[in-house]
């Protein structure tokens, strides 16, 4: 992992820094997928990584309030300068640890069927992949669904 990155719990105030880089880091419009409510209401289960260059990465996750054994990773980003150093893997592991501490036995996430980088990453992290699930997020919005069982 990027040894100079410091990972900490997110705060609602981190939203402005994160949303300012999302489109640039993804090289396409992504802001609509990450409304402010996620950091306002789920900052306790989200993470921010910082290094000397500033924001190096983040993970927005939550413990499902409706499905007591499930945690969900909504959005993860790593700055292009910090990619390939294990930071995303470290953020995921920290989230897995939080989920296990909350007695969650499964972590879920989704992505677009076209997001080959995400598919490869999640598979390498041990997630099972289902899909594409037709109309998962509404008519014509198919998604790949990831599931990872946590050791109890």
């Amino acid at each position: 992992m990027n040894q100079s990155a410091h990972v900490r719990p997110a705060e609602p105030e981190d939203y402005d820094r994160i949303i300012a880089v999302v489109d640039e880091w993804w090289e396409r419009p992504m802001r609509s997928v990450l409304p402010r409510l996620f950091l306002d209401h789920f900052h306790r289960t989200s993470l921010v990584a910082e290094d000397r260059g500033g924001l190096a990465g983040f993970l927005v996750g939550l413990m499902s309030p409706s499905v007591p054994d499930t945690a969900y990773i909504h959005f993860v980003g790593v700055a292009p300068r910090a990619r390939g150093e294990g930071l995303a893997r470290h953020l995921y592991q920290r989230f897995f640890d939080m989920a296990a501490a909350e007695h969650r036995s499964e972590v879920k996430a989704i992505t677009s069927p076209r997001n080959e980088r995400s598919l490869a990453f999640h598979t390498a992290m041990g997630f099972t992949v289902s899909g594409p699930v037709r109309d998962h997020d509404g008519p014509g919005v198919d998604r790949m669904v990831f599931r990872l069982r946590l050791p109890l």
Side-chain angles (χ1 to χ4, degrees):
M1 182 190 97
N2 178 344
Q3 297 301 318
S4 63
H6 168 71
V7 177
R8 63 170 175 79
E11 296 293 336
E13 297 77 26
D14 290 316
Y15 179 79
D16 292 329
R17 291 174 53 210
I18 291 169
I19 207 66
V21 299
V22 165
D23 290 352
E24 176 188 338
W25 288 7
W26 267 261
E27 299 177 336
R28 65 184 187 275
M30 294 297 292
R31 288 180 179 199
S32 65
V33 181
L34 189 59
R36 184 178 295 274
L37 73 89
F38 281 98
L39 283 182
D40 282 350
H41 297 282
F42 300 107
H43 61 274
R44 185 183 65 79
T45 54
S46 298
L47 300 164
V48 167
E50 299 166 312
D51 62 15
R52 282 179 252 186
L55 182 65
F58 63 91
L59 180 150
V60 176
L62 58 102
M63 303 302 144
S64 173
S66 299
V67 186
D69 67 339
T70 301
Y72 181 78
I73 296 174
H74 175 67
F75 209 96
V76 180
V78 174
R81 72 175 186 284
R83 292 182 184 155
E85 299 178 8
L87 181 55
R89 180 175 291 277
H90 181 70
L91 290 167
Y92 269 65
Q93 190 58 56
R94 288 274 302 263
F95 184 77
F96 297 162
D97 293 345
M98 279 192 284
E102 296 271 340
H103 309 290
R104 306 301 170 125
S105 59
E106 185 172 57
V107 177
K108 293 183 179 180
I110 62 169
T111 197
S112 163
R114 294 183 306 272
N115 192 337
E116 293 177 12
R117 222 174 6 180
S118 178
L119 289 164
F121 175 78
H122 284 88
T123 300
M125 289 293 297
F127 283 82
T128 59
V129 183
S130 302
V133 178
R134 289 184 47 77
D135 302 331
H136 183 277
D137 280 337
V141 186
D142 302 343
R143 293 287 182 248
M144 303 302 286
V145 177
F146 303 117
R147 286 185 172 87
L148 177 75
R149 298 294 300 172
L150 295 175
L152 295 176

